[in-house]
Amino acid sequence: MRRDEEAVSAAVATVMLFGGVLSIIGLMMVSMMPVIDEMEGSVERHDMSSQMTLLAHETSSLSERGMPGDVAQATLIPVDGELVWDSLRGGMWYSATWAEDMSLRARGALDFDDTLEIRHPESFIEAVCITDLRLGPDRPYHYTLEALLDTALVTVTPGLAMPLGPIDVTLYENGEERLITSLRVDEMATFDLQNIDEAVLTSSHALNVHGLVGTSGATYVLPNSPEPADKRGQAWSIPVMAGQHTIHLLSEKANQVHMTVDGETSIHYAVPTGLARTGVHFNHEVNLSEDSVIHITTSTSSRLLLKTNTSSADGLTAWPSSNGAYLGNSFLPPHLNGTLRLTNPGQNVVTITWRGGGISVAAGGVEHVAWPPAYESGAATLDADGDVFVTWGASTSGISTDGINGTMLLPADDTGAISGGLFSYSNSLNETEENLLIRLAGYTSSWNVTGGNSQTGVFLENERHQSITLEEGQTSVRVETGHPLRVLRNAGQAGLLHLPHDGERRCTSINTQASGWITTDLPWERLGGRGEIDTKEAWHDGRHPASLSIDVLGDDGLSSHGSIGSVWAFHLSRLSYQFASSIEGMEVAFSGGAVVTNHPEFNPYVVVPPSDRGGPGPRFAATIPSLHPTASSESGAGVLELDIELVHRTSLASTPAYEVRRGWSEPYGTAIADDAGIGLEASEDWTIYPGRLDLLTDYVGWVPDPSYGTAESVWHTDGEIIEFTLQLASIDVTTREVLV
């Protein structure tokens, strides 16, 4: 045998060449795979962006122009990723101020802990009031009905657009279902509570709930959509029992009143007298043969008092000041025969004057005045040189509201609202026994009562109320630690209450001024670190707010408890298309009307900005599409069909504002703020003086807040008052997989 060296060498060379080629191909594949993955990711990103853009247009049109029950449909076809709902990471907020040269910022309202931060450096902050907006499916409103109530009268609160179909209202006693009834917008229900202990009403929509003790009483009635600046309004839906009732309206200007009872509408007029220091009042008696809902609309912003059983001298109610808080220095009280109780919780003497009269109230003192004054022309206004409380009582026998049969929510001394941390009440010894019912407006609280019936207590989840009998003299209820309380005053078998829902206006005293961020309690259970199931259960039960409004009370130059501004913060569910590119964690998401993506390489990018309407002039309007998946919604990698239904649309604000801000949750907040201010590129002022809002005169629109790394923007109008309108469209989305 002879070895062919050349053949061996050729074979070895061929193998080595083949191995080298494979190595080169392998290296090429290793280096090209990220490029291939990135190209595939780019295809997925652009394909889903176009599909979600169509979804955004459908949703925006439905939320702005649709009626309840209207449905839009969309189909999303994934390429290689999957579609999922995320209810915990999407959110945004708006803020507006109601006083000149003031700003308001907020942060931490949507991070599931029990604190939030606000920033208002221009003046002293007295209190913060927080309301749970109850947004989303399966997040019902809860109304606690105290055991002392004999009857509950209920009707649906109309919004800008409400469902035409019936709404289920459920009565629970001690946690067990007692009764279910269905209501349409124009209907009412009456619940007999005489043989029921503490009860709770639940409903998927906001209700007007009036609690009645006996058959007579009086109460201040909030409008269906109170203006955030002063809590006045122009529409009311009032459930009343058969009998004779008095409706009393007060306004600053001439008023045209439309009143609808049992389908019949009457028109009335109230005109000013032209006298100084008087307002416009309108008084009307209604005699009903059966239980009915009275619908009232007015041509100008007004306040309303309802008195049931007109001939009775029972009933009393706290009356708000001109700025909406119960503690103030300017009032337009009811021009009805009765008695005014003037309470001074401060440490200095306060002098109160009105046309043709006046009185001084000592520090910590109470005075009573027969009301109205002798003249009949115009409703007299009260002006005080300090902050006081005003209570109107129906009794005209003597000049004292002590002992008047009636039920009312006591406003708090420290917050000037229906909840707080300090309450005081002065009682004279009389034949009528007066009681205070103390109830927790939060999650936990340690409190004490000082006065003739001193005691202490702790409220926890299962122990939330306490009743005490008033002794003669001053009685004070104070929160030592924890969350605010509500205090109900009751005397005799009479009284009428317009009841708030359990998550409404939980107010905490701030009592400070600072140039930086101020931390305050969120009076709900802390949910940090909890899973999605626990969070949704807490939203359903009301143990944590499912979106919230924040009202900041402080020194507005006129009153110490004026409404400085409001913040609306929303938990918005995100529909996210998740896919893999050269790296994991890429997505295209739709939330709050915006389409956003973090492709490529986690670089936040806005595909479709949130919709709003600006101009002409210093105007701004926005409708927030609040999308939330229903319990039956599916997710995954298959073809999904979306049924998008408008549930209701409501007005959050429609009033002049001095500053409007918008913030968005990260990681897209900064990108949305920058995208909104893209028009600044054409501004010469911004080019010369970047970051100087005070020198920006040639641009109207969104400007990213000049602070470093901020995720918020400011609607800039060069100092002009903004005609501000903010609406919310609640939309339920059902997603289901389509078999192809």
Side-chain angles (χ1 to χ4, degrees):
M1 296 182 63
R2 185 175 63 84
R3 179 184 179 87
D4 190 341
E5 296 295 338
E6 293 182 358
V8 172
S9 298
V12 172
T14 301
V15 172
M16 293 181 65
L17 178 62
F18 184 69
V21 170
L22 290 178
S23 299
I24 293 172
I25 294 174
L27 290 173
M28 291 177 63
M29 291 296 294
V30 169
S31 62
M32 290 179 63
M33 280 304 297
V35 178
I36 295 172
D37 289 341
E38 189 63 33
M39 292 178 65
E40 181 184 353
S42 181
V43 170
E44 294 198 60
R45 175 258 178 101
H46 287 286
D47 181 81
M48 190 52 64
S49 293
S50 63
Q51 294 186 56
M52 286 199 174
T53 298
L54 295 175
L55 173 63
H57 292 160
E58 288 282 351
T59 303
S60 177
S61 176
L62 181 67
S63 61
E64 293 180 356
R65 295 184 291 273
M67 293 295 292
D70 288 356
V71 176
Q73 290 187 329
T75 301
L76 298 180
I77 306 174
V79 179
D80 195 35
E82 62 176 359
L83 289 157
V84 297
W85 283 100
D86 186 347
S87 299
L88 305 184
R89 292 193 299 152
M92 56 89 64
W93 57 266
Y94 277 91
S95 72
T97 57
W98 319 122
E100 192 173 2
D101 296 327
M102 291 190 178
S103 63
L104 178 61
R105 301 173 64 187
R107 69 183 184 189
L110 302 175
D111 57 7
F112 299 104
D113 61 12
D114 56 357
T115 62
L116 63 88
E117 293 178 293
I118 58 173
R119 189 170 185 174
H120 169 66
E122 290 84 5
S123 68
F124 199 84
I125 300 177
E126 291 286 353
V128 170
C129 294
I130 306 170
T131 296
D132 186 351
L133 295 178
R134 308 304 295 152
L135 293 182
D138 199 28
R139 297 170 196 173
Y141 290 82
H142 303 279
Y143 298 83
T144 296
L145 307 177
E146 304 293 353
L148 59 87
L149 297 177
D150 296 325
T151 310
L153 311 172
V154 179
T155 189
V156 179
T157 303
L160 292 176
M162 292 296 291
L164 301 178
I167 295 169
D168 288 337
V169 179
T170 307
L171 178 69
Y172 291 89
E173 180 185 9
N174 299 323
E176 297 183 1
E177 186 178 297
R178 179 74 177 263
L179 181 65
I180 300 178
T181 188
S182 294
L183 285 180
R184 296 183 183 272
V185 173
D186 292 329
E187 297 176 344
M188 68 168 290
T190 302
F191 296 90
D192 186 355
L193 307 176
Q194 293 190 22
N195 297 318
I196 298 178
D197 292 331
E198 179 185 320
V200 175
L201 277 176
T202 66
S203 169
S204 59
H205 290 74
L207 305 173
N208 282 331
V209 180
H210 287 194
L212 186 62
V213 180
T215 59
S216 59
T219 187
Y220 165 63
V221 182
L222 276 167
N224 295 332
S225 297
E227 289 297 340
D230 55 20
K231 307 303 178 289
R232 294 187 297 176
Q234 294 181 253
W236 293 260
S237 298
I238 308 172
V240 292
M241 299 182 69
Q244 191 172 21
H245 312 282
T246 299
I247 294 171
H248 189 69
L249 284 161
L250 292 146
S251 61
E252 302 289 343
K253 299 183 295 185
N255 217 350
Q256 183 184 69
V257 182
H258 289 248
M259 188 174 302
T260 302
V261 183
D262 295 331
E264 296 184 2
T265 300
S266 58
I267 302 177
H268 312 270
Y269 298 92
V271 296
T273 62
L275 296 176
R277 301 179 68 187
T278 61
V280 180
H281 67 92
F282 168 75
N283 200 57
H284 186 75
E285 292 187 3
V286 180
N287 197 352
L288 301 174
S289 58
E290 60 182 10
D291 298 352
S292 302
V293 178
I294 302 175
H295 296 282
I296 300 171
T297 60
T298 60
S299 61
T300 187
S301 296
S302 309
R303 303 194 191 279
L304 187 147
L305 180 138
L306 171 67
K307 187 179 185 307
T308 62
N309 194 352
T310 300
S311 60
S312 171
D314 296 330
L316 75 168
T317 183
W319 193 256
S321 67
S322 298
N323 59 26
Y326 288 96
L327 185 62
N329 55 20
S330 176
F331 296 81
L332 181 58
H335 194 74
L336 288 174
N337 291 334
T339 302
L340 290 188
R341 175 189 176 99
L342 309 173
T343 306
N344 176 15
Q347 299 179 353
N348 298 309
V349 176
V350 174
T351 300
I352 305 169
T353 61
W354 57 90
R355 183 180 178 86
I359 194 171
S360 293
V361 185
V366 177
E367 295 290 342
H368 296 87
V369 177
W371 200 257
Y375 58 86
E376 293 294 331
S377 298
T381 60
L382 299 179
D383 296 297
D385 58 4
D387 286 337
V388 295
F389 291 114
V390 171
T391 301
W392 180 85
S395 175
T396 57
S397 58
I399 51 172
S400 173
T401 56
D402 295 343
I404 290 182
N405 290 341
T407 306
M408 61 174 282
L409 283 166
L410 285 184
D413 294 358
D414 56 344
T415 65
I418 59 173
S419 63
L422 175 63
F423 301 81
S424 59
Y425 189 78
S426 180
N427 180 44
S428 300
L429 189 62
N430 51 70
E431 297 180 358
T432 303
E433 181 181 284
E434 298 187 60
N435 302 286
L436 294 184
L437 177 64
I438 307 170
R439 177 167 290 278
L440 176 63
Y443 187 66
T444 180
S445 185
S446 174
W447 52 272
N448 67 67
V449 176
T450 57
N453 195 346
S454 300
Q455 57 182 285
T456 61
V458 176
F459 286 154
L460 298 173
E461 185 175 3
N462 296 322
E463 182 64 32
R464 304 176 65 88
H465 65 91
Q466 178 69 40
S467 181
I468 63 172
T469 301
L470 287 172
E471 302 287 343
E472 183 180 10
Q474 184 89 359
T475 299
S476 295
V477 180
R478 183 186 300 271
V479 173
E480 295 295 335
T481 59
H483 297 155
L485 305 173
R486 300 192 202 276
V487 176
L488 189 68
R489 179 267 190 194
N490 171 253
Q493 292 301 309
L496 179 65
L497 288 173
H498 186 189
L499 296 174
H501 69 81
D502 291 354
E504 185 172 347
R505 292 189 70 78
R506 297 183 178 184
C507 302
T508 302
S509 176
I510 302 295
N511 196 32
T512 190
Q513 181 176 2
S515 59
W517 292 96
I518 300 174
T519 302
T520 183
D521 287 341
L522 187 68
W524 278 271
E525 181 181 350
R526 179 186 181 93
L527 291 180
R530 301 280 189 92
E532 184 171 346
I533 294 177
D534 289 344
T535 301
K536 288 183 176 180
E537 288 181 353
W539 280 340
H540 175 273
D541 298 336
R543 291 181 286 114
H544 196 84
S547 291
L548 61 156
S549 67
I550 306 166
D551 193 13
V552 178
L553 306 179
D555 187 355
D556 61 357
L558 299 174
S559 173
S560 63
H561 286 70
S563 183
I564 297 297
S566 301
V567 181
W568 298 269
F570 311 97
H571 287 286
L572 303 177
S573 297
R574 291 200 308 170
L575 178 59
S576 176
Y577 175 69
Q578 300 175 351
F579 62 96
S581 181
S582 56
I583 54 177
E584 298 287 337
M586 298 293 98
E587 69 172 6
V588 178
F590 174 73
S591 176
V595 180
V596 292
T597 182
N598 61 353
H599 178 272
E601 298 179 359
F602 299 104
N603 183 29
Y605 178 78
V606 180
V607 180
V608 176
S611 61
D612 54 50
R613 303 286 182 266
R619 301 182 181 182
F620 176 81
T623 299
I624 303 166
S626 176
L627 272 72
H628 296 281
T630 59
S632 60
S633 290
E634 300 175 344
S635 61
V639 177
L640 292 183
E641 187 171 277
L642 283 69
D643 291 332
I644 310 164
E645 180 182 0
L646 177 64
V647 179
H648 66 85
R649 187 169 63 249
T650 186
S651 174
L652 299 176
S654 182
T655 188
Y658 289 88
E659 181 192 73
V660 174
R661 288 175 177 261
R662 181 181 69 188
W664 211 273
S665 296
E666 292 290 13
Y668 302 108
T670 303
I672 290 176
D674 291 340
D675 181 84
I678 193 171
L680 282 169
E681 297 174 354
S683 169
E684 293 183 3
D685 291 341
W686 193 258
T687 302
I688 299 172
Y689 306 107
R692 291 293 302 274
L693 290 175
D694 56 327
L695 299 178
L696 181 59
T697 62
D698 59 352
Y699 172 81
V700 172
W702 287 116
V703 179
D705 189 276
S707 303
Y708 176 75
T710 182
E712 63 187 75
S713 50
V714 183
W715 185 258
H716 177 74
T717 60
D718 193 22
E720 295 187 64
I721 297 177
I722 304 166
E723 293 298 327
F724 176 57
T725 300
L726 184 64
Q727 298 179 6
L728 179 74
S730 183
I731 300 175
D732 289 354
V733 183
T734 301
T735 56
R736 60 179 183 273
E737 187 174 359
V738 179
L739 299 178
V740 293

